[in-house]
């Protein structure tokens, strides 16, 4: 467990935390990239696997008879805590007892996590063997012929070694579990007896939310044999981009805090590593270096052999949407079999949406881990929750027909224009203070304000959809040596919009089988909506000082023009007919570690633009914004993104369960 000294030292930073993490899709068929599982004769299947009926698994085993065991897996060649002993990972396993008695091998669903030290002691029996898993996965899938394994990541809880916040220690350590399941590395019981996974088919899938999903991405990027699929939920694909917005650190001393938060501090070496990680991550400049490469899994996307089922919230401001967007782009380039589940929520697990999610996940695992020919790869690639809370399915993502469309910026009286037409030549200036802006800055866009630059399209005659990753290009000059800039993409128009998901009081549904200790029962959930006239759909931050490269921060010279391009966070949003598409730019502090006294940015519209992946009737965007009455924009669909330390930590730890 973490020492008391760490809790007091990181009281503030404990809130800003983790994670517990447009290119066009080629028109090729999804089945062209799917590696079909080996088909099994139906009669043979029925005789050998009672949990299979037709092309799906069903609950055939009694959870009360499940085998609970704990093993220690060796991590060959790694002694990260420098104690002279090879690192060992603790793995808690629950698997169907009847299958073991009948000699039926089963695949394994793995959830690796750095957070299990926070589980109550009542989850374990007197011998330290886990009896309660704090998840629905074991209740649901063990009766259906799966084993479920929960892994203490390196340097956390009962595993030895040191964590290193997404680096080689964590990746190679977690990979060792897949190797053990395939008889490539050794493991033993807590008493020291050798133990083999002779009950396993060798096929494994990794799943998890936040940090738990991030480790699934990282292990998949090694190309390890036996990892058939991953389900990264609200997961990171690049730790640099998780902690930075194009060179702007989101929080002070964040990487050190993350290591400190999850580390069990079992050795002096692990304690020392906290300071080293913070120093090497270079918060003071926010720049990228080769130190980040092992933590950037997109670099190794070509090695991914597992299929990938991405799950992410479109309003997740903890693990921002570029994490799935740019990871997805790399999966597309490398022909990885894939699906995606996008919801309107924040940093949430997919199970928040209960049936809608489980109906997608269950056949996915059946296909990739059990080899059942259920046509899951011929079904729609994308499940998307629309702005009103309803779910739709689509053939692929980004949307069919998406075209990268460049929108010009024009200065106006109060509100500037946003259109495909030629930009204006008159500069636009806006000023920021020593504080970061809040979302309310986008309201009442018709009123002139010195703290923002607003560009709005004409009323849309027909719906227009953004689907994928856009970018902002600006030519600016700054009157100070440093400044950040934030771009908010805004939907101006009245609509009934998703607000949140809440539990329904006095309801309960059991997901699979259970017992008195671990019931597997959860409240039903409800999607809530409200009418609003403004929605911030994308927020993206950038440092003007990193205009030339992310690898070097430069001091700005007053009066000199700088060209900066930065990608927006990925999104999928429909701007309804009668709505307006808006871009709001603000000045922001460039680094939380260095005092910022404010700055004025002057923008040259002729060399600035917003490029979006659009589909739909874009004719309304052809002409510059016309003079119209005041734009009603008085209430936001979503509250300001959560910044309270305690609530943020609750959010991403809860998402990891």
């Amino acid at each position: 467990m973490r020492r008391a000294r760490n809790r007091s030292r990181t009281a503030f930073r404990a809130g800003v935390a983790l994670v517990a993490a447009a290119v066009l899709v080629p028109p090729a068929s999804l089945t062209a990239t799917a590696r079909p599982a080996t088909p099994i004769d139906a009669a043979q299947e029925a005789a050998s696997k009672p949990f299979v009926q037709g092309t799906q698994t069903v609950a055939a085993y009694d959870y009360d008879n499940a085998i609970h065991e704990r093993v220690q897996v060796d991590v060959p060649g790694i002694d990260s805590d420098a104690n002279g002993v090879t690192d060992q990972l603790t793995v808690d396993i629950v698997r169907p007892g009847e299958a073991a008695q009948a000699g039926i091998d089963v695949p394994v669903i793995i959830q690796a996590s750095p957070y299990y030290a926070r589980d109550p002691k009542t989850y374990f029996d007197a011998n330290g063997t886990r009896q309660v898993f704090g998840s629905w996965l074991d209740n649901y899938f063990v009766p259906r012929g799966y084993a479920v394994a929960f892994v203490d990541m390196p340097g956390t809880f009962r595993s030895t070694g040191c964590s290193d916040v997404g680096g080689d220690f964590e990746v190679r350590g977690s990979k060792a579990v897949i190797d053990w399941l395939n008889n490539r590395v050794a493991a033993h019981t807590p008493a020291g007896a050798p133990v083999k996974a002779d009950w396993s088919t060798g096929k494994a899938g990794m799943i998890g939310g936040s940090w738990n999903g991030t480790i699934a991405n990282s292990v998949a990027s090694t190309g390890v044999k036996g990892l058939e699929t991953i389900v990264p939920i609200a997961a990171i694909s690049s730790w640099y981009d998780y902690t930075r917005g194009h060179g702007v650190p989101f929080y002070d001393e964040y990487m050190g805090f993350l290591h400190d938060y999850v580390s069990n501090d079992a050795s002096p070496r692990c304690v020392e590593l906290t300071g080293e990680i913070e120093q090497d991550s270079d918060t003071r400049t926010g720049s990228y270096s080769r130190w980040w490469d092992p933590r950037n899994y997109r670099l190794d996307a070509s090695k991914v052999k597992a299929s990938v089922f991405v799950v992410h919230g479109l309003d997740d401001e903890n693990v921002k949407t570029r994490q799935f967007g740019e990871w997805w782009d790399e999966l597309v380039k490398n022909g990885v079999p894939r699906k995606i589940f996008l919801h309107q929520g924040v940093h949430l697990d997919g199970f928040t949406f209960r049936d809608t999610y489980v109906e997608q996940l269950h056949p996915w695992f059946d296909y990739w881990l059990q080899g059942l020919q259920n046509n899951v790869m011929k079904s729609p690639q994308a499940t998307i929750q629309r702005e009103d809370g309803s779910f739709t399915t689509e053939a692929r993502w980004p949307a069919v027909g998406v075209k990268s469309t460049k929108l010009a910026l024009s200065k106006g009286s109060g509100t500037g224009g946003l259109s495909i037409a030629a930009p204006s030549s008159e500069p636009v200036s806006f000023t920021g203070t020593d504080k970061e802006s809040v979302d309310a800055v986008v309201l009442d866009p018709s009123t002139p304000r010195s703290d923002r630059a607003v560009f709005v399209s004409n009323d849309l005659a027909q719906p227009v959809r953004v689907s994928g990753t856009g970018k902002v290009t600006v030519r600016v000059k700054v009157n100070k040596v440093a400044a950040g800039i934030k771009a908010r993409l805004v939907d101006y128009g009245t609509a009934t919009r998703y607000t949140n998901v809440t539990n329904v009081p006095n309801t309960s549904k059991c997901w699979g089988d259970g017992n008195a200790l671990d019931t597997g029962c959860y409240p039903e959930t409800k999607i809530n909506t409200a009418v609003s006239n403004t929605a911030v759909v994308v927020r993206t931050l950038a440092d003007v000082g990193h205009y030339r490269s992310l690898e070097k921060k430069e001091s700005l010279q007053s009066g000199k023009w700088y060209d900066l391009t930065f990608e927006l966070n990925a999104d999928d949003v429909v701007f309804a007919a009668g709505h307006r598409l808006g871009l709001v730019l603000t000045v922001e502090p460039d680094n939380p570690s260095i005092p910022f006294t404010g700055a004025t940015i002057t923008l040259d519209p002729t060399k600035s633009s917003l490029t979006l992946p659009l589909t739909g009737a874009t004719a309304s965007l052809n002409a510059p914004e016309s003079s119209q009455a005041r734009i009603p924009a008085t209430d936001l669909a979503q509250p300001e993104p959560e910044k309270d330390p305690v609530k943020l930590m609750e959010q991403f730890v809860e998402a990891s369960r």
Side-chain angles (χ1 to χ4, degrees), residues 3 33 63 157 199 314 476 506 550:
R3 297 176 180 175
T33 62
Y63 190 83
F157 198 20
W199 46 265
L314 292 172
V476 296
N506 304 315
L550 288 175

Side-chain angles (χ1 to χ4, degrees), residues 186-222:
H188 54 83
T189 66
V195 58
K196 291 188 175 182
D198 52 9
W199 46 265
S200 167
T201 64
K203 292 185 175 183
M206 295 187 73
I207 186 172
S210 205
W211 205 322
N212 305 5
T214 301
I215 202 66
N217 279 340
S218 71
V219 174
S221 74
T222 69

Side-chain angles (χ1 to χ4, degrees), residues 240 243-250 286 484-485 541-543 546 589-592:
Y240 177 83
T243 60
R244 311 282 195 267
H246 197 91
V248 180
F250 295 127
I485 186 170
L541 186 61
D543 176 20
H546 280 93
D590 65 302
N591 193 305

Side-chain angles (χ1 to χ4, degrees), residues 141 227 321 348 449 542:
F141 284 105
L227 182 60
T321 56
L348 302 173
R449 286 175 50 170

